[in-house]
Amino acid sequence: MKILTLVRQVPDAEARVKISGGHVDLEGATLVIDGMDEYGVEEALRLRESGAAVEEIVALAVGPKRVEDALRTALAMGVDRAIHVETEEKLDPIALSRIVAQVAQAEGAGLILVGGQEADWDSQALGAATAERLGWPQLTWTNELKVEGDALTGRHDVDDGNESFRATLPAVVTTQQGLNEPRYPTLPNIMKAKRKELRKDALDTYGAAPTVRVVSSEIQTRARLNKMIDGKDPQAAAAELLDLLRNEAKVIA
């Protein structure tokens, strides 16, 4: 079985971003692998290490030249080879799913691992759209995963808690925090990653085009209320705080 794992490159959680010309400007920002995608890379490696019949692990990234850095990190973690569909075009999850599905078919992948929610689009659509294109089952928000022959078993989160599942491969799985703890690449593996295959493909090869275009962006800010609460009467102060949070800050219902 081949495993295809998607890698997205996004700003670090502590990075400061700015808007230029109505769009997010990432110049100078610290960029990393999307955290949820990193769980997918780690899980692919752990499935192979657990004894599952994993023939090869392939990382896929779609984006500008700088995305190579994220793929090199995945290779240093232990992925066998990488595919980079290089483009400056900003693809939404539905357009991106077209590429993921085509690569999976061309590579003969039996399992696709993608992050449960992309940080750049703040969307959960990629896994579902990819599964729909391929006609494969989809398991979302997994926190435990095992391969048993041609079946996939594990547990995943649902609205009322979590439940066990069993599905026949091939399948699409979305990953999340709690599934594993991603490893740090070691220096020897970082050096080995430089010699691993990183194939470049053109976007035209896959016939994908954005279905959604970003016309402008803005950074949301919330002004401080600077409300002072008199604490002489604790009960009255608590009631006033609750009223402010509910009716002015609107952070509770």
Side-chain angles (χ1 to χ4, degrees):
M1 176 183 69
K2 285 187 182 181
I3 299 178
L4 178 67
T5 180
L6 184 73
V7 171
R8 303 281 288 166
Q9 188 185 54
V10 298
D12 181 80
E14 301 300 321
R16 297 179 67 86
V17 297
K18 57 185 178 180
I19 301 297
S20 177
H23 297 280
V24 176
D25 183 1
L26 297 178
E27 186 68 32
T30 301
L31 302 173
V32 296
I33 293 181
D34 188 314
M36 289 200 180
D37 288 336
E38 192 173 17
Y39 295 122
V41 173
E42 177 64 28
E43 194 61 22
L45 299 172
R46 292 194 182 201
L47 286 173
R48 177 162 64 186
E49 292 166 355
S50 71
V54 177
E55 173 189 347
E56 189 178 35
I57 301 171
V58 181
L60 167 67
V62 180
K65 182 174 176 56
R66 58 175 168 74
V67 174
E68 280 185 24
D69 294 339
L71 284 173
R72 290 295 180 193
T73 299
L75 290 168
M77 289 174 69
V79 166
D80 298 307
R81 59 186 176 90
I83 301 170
H84 180 196
V85 180
E86 188 170 344
T87 177
E88 294 292 332
E89 195 79 68
K90 292 179 172 59
L91 299 180
D92 57 274
I94 304 304
L96 183 57
S97 71
R98 183 184 184 96
I99 299 174
V100 178
Q102 288 183 60
V103 171
Q105 288 177 317
E107 292 290 332
L111 176 62
I112 300 175
L113 298 171
V114 303
Q117 185 162 335
E118 298 85 53
D120 49 358
W121 277 93
D122 195 27
S123 169
Q124 302 174 19
L126 180 58
T130 302
E132 175 64 21
R133 289 186 185 278
L134 293 168
W136 293 3
Q138 177 201 199
L139 292 315
T140 60
W141 300 108
T142 52
N143 44 45
E144 182 183 319
L145 199 61
K146 293 179 181 178
V147 173
E148 300 175 354
D150 63 349
L152 198 63
T153 64
R155 299 186 66 81
H156 66 161
D157 290 338
V158 293
D159 290 342
D160 297 327
N162 62 72
E163 65 182 13
S164 299
F165 63 78
R166 184 179 182 86
T168 301
L169 292 168
V172 177
V173 171
T174 68
T175 56
Q176 64 165 331
Q177 184 176 9
L179 175 61
N180 55 52
E181 187 63 37
R183 68 195 67 189
Y184 289 100
T186 62
L187 182 58
N189 285 338
I190 292 173
M191 300 305 293
K192 289 178 184 177
K194 295 179 180 180
R195 299 191 295 271
K196 291 183 178 180
E197 179 187 346
L198 197 164
R199 190 182 88 207
K200 293 279 189 173
D201 285 352
L203 182 63
D204 293 346
T205 305
Y206 299 95
T211 58
V212 176
R213 291 192 178 275
V214 178
V215 294
S216 67
S217 303
E218 63 181 29
I219 297 176
Q220 293 184 339
T221 59
R222 179 173 290 176
R224 294 180 180 273
L225 297 177
N226 293 319
K227 294 280 187 179
M228 299 295 291
I229 298 175
D230 188 347
K232 292 180 180 178
D233 183 344
Q235 189 172 2
E240 185 179 355
L241 176 60
L242 185 63
D243 179 68
L244 289 171
L245 292 173
R246 177 178 290 129
N247 299 315
E248 292 199 37
K250 299 186 185 301
V251 294
I252 62 174

